[in-house]
Amino acid sequence: MKEILQFFNCSSKRNFVLKTILNGQPRLISVCETRWTERHDSVMVFKTSIPYIIKSLTKMSEWQESDSSSKARTLLIALCSCDFIISIHTLANILCVTAPVSRILQGMNNDILNAKNCIDNIIFSLENKRTNCLQIFGNIYQECVLLMNEMDIEVKTPRLSKYQTKRSNHPVNNIEEYYRVSIFIPLLDNILEDLRSRFIRKQNKMLLDLCLLIPRYITVISNEDFKKITEAATELFLFNEENSIDQMQLQTEPEIWKTKWQRIKSDGHDVCQDALPSIKNCNNIIYPTVHKLLSIIACLPISVASAERSFSTLRRLKTWLRSKMGQDRLTGLALLNIHHTITISIDDVINRFANKKNRNIDFVL
């Protein structure tokens, strides 16, 4: 798939041929290395554009230019194989389910518990696909067969060999069963295993238990959830002597914290939805333990997408023409670029610059 996209993108002539055949259809999207949401979109658009890509490659394979025609024939043979078409349709079917996770993990200011609930729902949905793989893959296979019949592609399995060890040699009864066993089920199992290993670990569950201290959740939790909070705080975090937490205090403070927000909620007032507003409403003297735990929760990122955006910003700022830029200037430009949505008052900037030291020119208006 990457080679096909690169084949069209590296030449304006080839790209023009594809654009002409697409005739207003969505253009192909390159596979991004960092943004998973764009990878989802790339696979979806590529799947719907397969007939147009085949027509474009067929036309280019007849060119007199040897480089383009030979490469087009090679890609056309790979694209018109049953393995590739069924793999793309299978991947698109699974990515339709995992797309919300990518949007949440690469978004900003998302709640960690909402992300956890979304991931649990997606894992449950994929497990249902695994359980009902006969029906799910049957629909995918029928869609692929219709496409291949339309494109005059023969529906067949690869040549099987008794002693072949480098590819799938499953004992099957028909073509659909072969591709279900060799493509659909392994891909689905691999994605499920990755999701479980990344998100359903003991430490992750304990960190999520601490998030129950946020007022929007603590007003409705049970006594068992209080035990989870205590166990998570005791097992995960080691505090020094100055910041030591008393075990009895750890058990009683969340109860008082819960009572406070239940009373606020019963009075008809809004409760805090996130960790940062909760810290502002948490008195460090009255609730020292809860304040420490909320501070830890506020520092827990859902993903590293925000940090990766800063690297992309530095790549745009630190050019060859700015190779001698100092650290302060680079930091300032990066902050301006990353937080471009924050409105800055020009008068405040002038006043701050003017008040740093005595100047010959009166900047203060």
Side-chain angles (χ1 to χ4, degrees):
M1 178 177 165
K2 285 185 178 180
E3 291 185 7
I4 293 175
L5 294 172
Q6 185 178 3
F7 175 75
F8 287 110
N9 291 334
C10 68
S11 171
S12 58
K13 182 180 178 181
R14 301 169 192 164
N15 201 2
F16 177 76
V17 173
L18 177 63
K19 184 178 179 180
T20 304
I21 294 178
L22 285 174
N23 193 21
Q25 297 293 326
R27 66 180 185 86
L28 298 181
I29 303 174
S30 299
V31 180
C32 184
E33 297 295 335
T34 56
R35 295 184 179 89
W36 285 95
T37 52
E38 292 190 8
R39 286 196 169 199
H40 286 74
D41 298 337
S42 178
V43 173
M44 300 303 173
V45 174
F46 189 91
K47 172 201 164 188
T48 57
S49 303
I50 287 178
Y52 306 102
I53 297 173
I54 292 176
K55 292 179 182 178
S56 302
L57 292 175
T58 303
K59 185 175 181 179
M60 294 176 193
S61 63
E62 300 173 356
W63 287 358
Q64 298 298 323
E65 184 186 352
S66 59
D67 292 339
S68 297
S69 59
S70 60
K71 184 66 174 177
R73 283 192 292 269
T74 303
L75 294 175
L76 187 61
I77 293 172
L79 181 59
C80 293
S81 64
C82 294
D83 290 357
F84 183 82
I85 293 178
I86 293 177
S87 298
I88 284 292
H89 281 72
T90 301
L91 182 61
N93 181 271
I94 296 176
L95 291 183
C96 287
V97 181
T98 60
V101 175
S102 298
R103 286 194 290 268
I104 288 177
L105 295 182
Q106 291 198 308
M108 300 176 63
N109 300 326
N110 289 313
D111 185 71
I112 191 170
L113 284 180
N114 288 338
K116 184 257 183 184
N117 293 332
C118 180
I119 292 169
D120 290 342
N121 294 334
I122 287 172
I123 291 176
F124 181 75
S125 178
L126 293 177
E127 288 174 347
N128 286 338
K129 283 181 177 289
R130 181 64 177 86
T131 304
N132 303 317
C133 61
L134 293 175
Q135 179 182 357
I136 300 296
F137 183 75
N139 297 332
I140 298 173
Y141 180 75
Q142 293 301 324
E143 183 182 357
C144 295
V145 169
L146 292 175
L147 175 62
M148 287 186 282
N149 290 336
E150 181 183 350
M151 296 289 105
D152 293 330
I153 301 173
E154 183 182 359
V155 182
K156 62 179 182 179
T157 59
R159 183 177 62 86
L160 301 181
S161 175
K162 184 177 180 180
Y163 301 103
Q164 179 63 258
T165 59
K166 300 301 182 183
R167 66 184 182 192
S168 301
N169 271 323
H170 305 289
V172 294
N173 299 322
N174 52 55
I175 299 175
E176 179 181 345
E177 184 180 358
Y178 172 82
Y179 287 112
R180 183 180 68 248
V181 174
S182 61
I183 294 178
F184 181 77
I185 293 178
L187 177 61
L188 190 56
D189 288 343
N190 186 32
I191 293 176
L192 275 171
E193 183 63 28
D194 285 343
L195 289 174
R196 293 192 187 105
S197 62
R198 287 174 180 267
F199 301 109
I200 308 181
R201 292 186 297 177
K202 183 179 179 181
Q203 289 185 345
N204 291 343
K205 290 183 178 180
M206 288 186 173
L207 290 173
L208 292 171
D209 290 336
L210 287 181
C211 295
L212 296 175
L213 286 171
I214 298 175
R216 65 182 293 190
Y217 302 113
I218 200 169
T219 55
V220 294
I221 64 175
S222 60
N223 294 330
E224 294 182 359
D225 294 326
F226 273 114
K227 293 181 181 179
K228 292 180 181 179
I229 295 173
T230 305
E231 293 174 358
T234 305
E235 185 169 345
L236 287 178
F237 305 108
L238 296 175
F239 298 91
N240 54 32
E241 295 181 357
E242 297 179 356
N243 295 323
S244 60
I245 292 180
D246 183 71
Q247 190 72 17
M248 184 64 67
Q249 191 176 8
L250 182 60
Q251 295 176 356
T252 56
E253 267 191 38
E255 295 180 1
I256 303 174
W257 178 251
K258 176 182 178 180
T259 304
K260 170 189 174 180
W261 287 103
Q262 283 181 335
R263 180 174 53 80
I264 292 174
K265 187 176 181 180
S266 62
D267 292 340
H269 300 291
D270 296 332
V271 298
C272 297
Q273 303 293 314
D274 299 317
L276 289 177
S278 303
I279 295 174
K280 295 179 181 179
N281 289 275
C282 181
N283 193 316
N284 191 20
I285 299 176
I286 303 176
Y287 310 103
T289 304
V290 174
H291 190 275
K292 293 173 186 176
L293 295 177
L294 286 175
S295 300
I296 294 172
I297 295 170
C299 297
L300 294 177
I302 296 179
S303 67
V304 295
S306 298
E308 291 175 355
R309 289 191 188 97
S310 64
F311 291 106
S312 301
T313 301
L314 289 176
R315 190 181 299 114
R316 291 191 295 268
L317 293 176
K318 192 71 172 179
T319 62
W320 292 104
L321 299 178
R322 293 171 173 169
S323 58
K324 294 184 178 181
M325 185 190 304
Q327 183 66 34
D328 293 339
R329 180 175 174 80
L330 179 62
T331 303
L333 290 176
L335 290 174
L336 285 173
N337 187 277
I338 294 171
H339 303 287
H340 61 275
T341 56
I342 299 177
T343 304
I344 299 176
S345 174
I346 298 178
D347 293 336
D348 293 341
V349 174
I350 295 175
N351 292 334
R352 183 174 179 180
F353 179 75
N355 294 329
K356 277 191 172 182
K357 63 179 182 179
N358 295 327
R359 302 180 185 276
N360 296 328
I361 301 176
D362 187 11
F363 286 96
V364 181
L365 302 179

